[in-house]
Amino acid sequence: MSEDGVSVPAFFVIASAAFRRQLRIPEAATAMGELMIDLGEGGDVSGSSAAKRLRSAVESQPSEPDLISGIHTALGALGPSPWAVRSSMVGEDSASHSYAGQLDSFVHLTDRDEVVESLARCWGSAFSSHALAYGARAGLLPSQIQLAVIVQRMVPAEISGVLFTVNPLSKRRDEQLLTAAFGLGEGIVDGLCDTDEYVWSPEDGERARAIAEKDAKVVPSAQGAGTEVVTVEPSRRLEPALTPQQVEEVCRAGIAVAERSGQPMDVEWSYAGGRLYLLQARPITSLGVQPEASGVVRVFDNSNVQESYNGVTTPLTFSFASRAYTTVFRQFARTLGVSDEDMLGFEPSARTLIGMIHGRIYYNLASWLDLVSLFPNSEGKREDLETVMWHTEIEPAERKRESRRERLGRLFKTGRVGLKLLLRFLALEGEIARFVREFDRVYDSVDRENLHEANLGELHELSLRLHAELLDRWEAPNINDWRVMATCGRLRRLLVRVHPEDKVEVRFADLLGGIEGIESVEPTRVLVGIATDARRDPLIVAALEEGAPRAALKRLRHLAPDLADRVDAYLERYGDRSIGELKLESVSLREDPGFVVEALRNYLTRPDLTPESLIEAERERYVAGLADTGARLGPIGRLRLRRLTRSARRAVKQRERLRLLRTLAFGIARDAYRVLGVRLCEAGVLEAPDDVLYLTVDELDAFMEGRSASAELGPIAKARRAEYDRYREEEMTPNRIRTVGSPYVDYRPEAVAVAEAEAAAGTLYGMGCCGGVAEAPVRVILSADEELSVSGRVLCTVRTDPGWTPLFPTAAAIVVERGSQLSHSAVVAREFGIPTVVGVADATRILRDGKLVRVDGDLGTVRPLEREPGDEGATG
């Protein structure tokens, strides 16, 4: 880099010949011989005693006098301290292995003798256990190691970082990944400091940024040599480390280095006094297979599906859900008369409606667009998916040019499907009633109480029955979901015509609120009723509030058997309606009723909370919203408004009813597969019962039916468990991923960054789903394993499913990162009249527990407050 004119701090090199001479001293030579003998006998050289003696000998013996004298002379020519002593493995710049992070370096040295001591310690680090292990994997023998050392002037870096000239996350060769933090680069290398991340490309400039809260930085030690960690001023912590101009300068400098090197590079850099310095560069050796340069672009998005499958999801759940999606939507299309020719074309899309990337479930948007294209007015259906159902943009695929004959043929086929769908809509209420009766018949035929005694064959038979008699006959719920999208889409378009843009979502929420007897609210109404009756007796209240949940239920059974029976009845009916209810790995309320006790405890402190009070306010908002919209329409428009509102509310009510049945079906599957895991463990196939979660339903079916490619499922499950544990350690989970070819090779996450402009302004924006304003402290909850008390607080989470709803009544407001007007959190919050904002990007990253905020469900805003609750302007 220096020869090419790059701005590199002044340096000199202690060549590897000095390192080789150091290895010839008697103690080092003897230890090296013993180490090579250990290697020849198949020993683990990285942890051998010979390796430890070799390192000690290299570090403790004095260096040659001529070398020490030469170092002192070179330091004088280099200029005043501080200096850095950096290890550099000869061959480190090879494309196969970089030794990055394997060797020791020492910074901010102020004394010449410290430089000499650090030189020996750099040499010794070549024989550390992790460096020897790395070399062994690369096929490098200890006797072949050659180590040079660079002594470099240190620049007083204000900002430092690392640039990857090829994005190692997405594997894209046309974009760079840049990390930056305040202070010296050691804070980044050693993982001591949080870093900003920038994705940049020469064509588009800055594509994405994620600004971290940088609360610490590494600076030169105030005591002299070495460094120390200090805190960053609070006002600067969310300030971007780099300006857009600096991002471009670093990236272009790195690209120039990579072009001269002829390969992707990992570049360390610093800014000092406003000047950019490149400190060192090495090849990136971990890119793996180069992604395809061209082909069909696939977009995966989890904005909506996260409501059902949040975070890392096990292979068993994904495979069960994938089979259900494929079967249900294939049957849906056939039921509506889609032609055999179109069904053949739709088949690949039916198999790929959902995908699994880094352990997380995504919708494959191209496959959903293929489904939508089977219906008339596919463009309108796509917009309904975007605005009403998913609250995320779906990029339409480029449609091939059609002849007049082809267009007429397509219109005829989709029109026939649309007509059949309309006829099904007209008969849907009766069809739903028949579906519910058949579901109840199948469900009641399963002896869940004694399922734990079933053998392998019985469990396998039950899993097949679930698909054949329930999930394969899911036409009525599917048609109703389509009715929800169609009726709500038409209602929203009517509102767009008569209301200002900032009032559309508010009125839409009002018209879908106060739905009598909606199933998602019923579990909460039942629990509130139990708490209302329990509140009348102080002894019962004390029994419920004390100790562990199971002990509290035992006391309740002794003091008030009738209330305990009502809790049992609740668990029998709603025991599967728990947080993460569609994930087979989730612990249901049947297994652990602690969540129910926590909900009852929240309600006991709220005497104003009764079953009757839950939805009173929302009924009034519905009536007012209907009147306000009707006043803006003529007589015919008012009739249409009432008809559309009635149809949309009926469809939403039925959707919530039918989704409880889906929950029950998944609950039976959870029980069956859990017991199957126990039986396979007893048979010695699996090491632990829950290893079954890391197998797929196809693998389990094949094992039971004698067509498995491997009879040893245990190692497969063990390897997958380790893989999924790594996925759980990942912090950033992008909402959207683009890929060409396989997403496991061409992984291009669209970064979901904290918007520093919004964070600085203090206002976060989303979609208001229930009107009203509340000011209260935040309670961030990310999983069911946390403390779940939200009384008087703003519940803030990534997503919600129906299992969360018992927490809602005592919350002051609700803020959710994902969701739409028809997500469960929105539907239930409207019924309870709780100010709610969904689609608030990065809410759980920006907001902190205990932070006072103002949630405005009409404007769809969340604004942090500095004053105390109850000051002027505070409302509830």
Side-chain angles (χ1 to χ4, degrees), residues 402-465:
E402 297 177 313
S403 66
R404 175 183 172 86
R405 182 176 180 180
E406 288 173 329
R407 186 167 61 255
L408 289 174
R410 178 173 54 80
L411 290 175
F412 173 77
K413 288 190 291 187
T414 58
R416 184 179 60 188
V417 171
L419 177 61
K420 195 158 187 177
L421 181 62
L422 177 61
L423 295 175
R424 297 295 291 269
F425 282 172
L426 296 175
L428 190 53
E429 293 303 310
E431 190 170 341
I432 289 174
R434 289 190 294 275
F435 172 83
V436 171
R437 287 195 298 271
E438 178 62 16
F439 181 94
D440 288 342
R441 181 193 67 77
V442 176
Y443 182 83
D444 292 341
S445 70
V446 179
D447 185 4
R448 293 188 70 176
E449 186 175 346
N450 295 307
L451 194 58
H452 64 280
E453 298 177 355
N455 60 38
L456 282 173
E458 291 168 335
L459 293 166
H460 179 236
E461 185 65 28
L462 176 59
S463 71
L464 297 179
R465 273 190 63 205

Side-chain angles (χ1 to χ4, degrees), residues 166-368:
V166 169
N167 189 334
L169 300 179
S170 66
K171 305 293 194 299
R172 293 191 65 163
R173 307 259 167 168
D174 63 340
E175 67 183 22
Q176 290 71 52
L177 178 65
L178 175 64
T179 65
F182 297 130
L184 302 177
E186 280 61 38
I188 299 173
V189 175
D190 296 339
L192 300 173
C193 303
D194 292 329
T195 61
D196 297 344
E197 289 191 0
Y198 305 84
V199 176
W200 190 89
S201 78
E203 295 79 14
D204 305 327
E206 191 175 302
R207 289 180 173 173
R209 60 165 55 187
I211 305 302
E213 184 175 0
K214 300 173 288 297
D215 57 355
K217 63 180 178 180
V218 173
V219 299
S221 173
Q223 307 303 317
T227 61
E228 61 181 338
V229 180
V230 300
T231 59
V232 176
E233 304 92 318
S235 61
R236 295 195 65 200
R237 291 178 181 179
L238 281 173
E239 176 186 314
L242 296 173
T243 66
Q245 294 76 21
Q246 289 174 321
V247 171
E248 180 174 358
E249 183 182 17
V250 175
C251 290
R252 290 199 182 279
I255 291 172
V257 171
E259 288 176 347
R260 283 190 290 270
S261 304
Q263 58 191 320
M265 299 294 282
D266 162 353
V267 182
E268 294 183 23
W269 57 269
S270 288
Y271 270 102
R275 181 180 179 184
L276 173 64
Y277 292 89
L278 302 189
L279 307 179
Q280 61 180 23
R282 61 169 61 89
I284 304 174
T285 60
S286 58
L287 289 176
V289 180
Q290 184 170 350
E292 298 175 33
S294 61
V296 177
V297 176
R298 293 189 183 91
V299 180
F300 294 86
D301 189 284
N302 69 2
S303 299
N304 177 266
V305 75
Q306 281 284 290
E307 183 178 70
S308 299
Y309 302 102
N310 184 45
V312 172
T313 301
T314 62
L316 183 65
T317 293
F318 170 72
S319 59
F320 185 84
S322 181
R323 178 185 286 185
Y325 269 90
T326 299
T327 302
V328 164
F329 282 99
R330 182 191 289 138
Q331 186 63 34
F332 177 55
R334 288 195 181 281
T335 299
L336 296 178
V338 174
S339 68
D340 291 342
E341 179 185 1
D342 286 345
M343 279 301 303
L344 187 62
F346 174 63
E347 185 61 30
S349 298
R351 293 197 311 269
T352 56
L353 289 166
I354 62 173
M356 180 79 120
I357 302 174
H358 284 211
R360 294 162 175 88
I361 295 183
Y362 288 81
Y363 280 150
N364 184 336
L365 297 188
S367 297
W368 285 92

Side-chain angles (χ1 to χ4, degrees), residues 654-671:
Q654 290 286 29
R655 184 188 75 155
E656 297 305 301
R657 178 190 184 191
L658 295 170
R659 290 200 169 181
L660 174 62
L661 303 188
R662 182 184 66 175
T663 300
L664 295 176
F666 274 63
I668 298 176
R670 179 186 295 110
D671 290 352

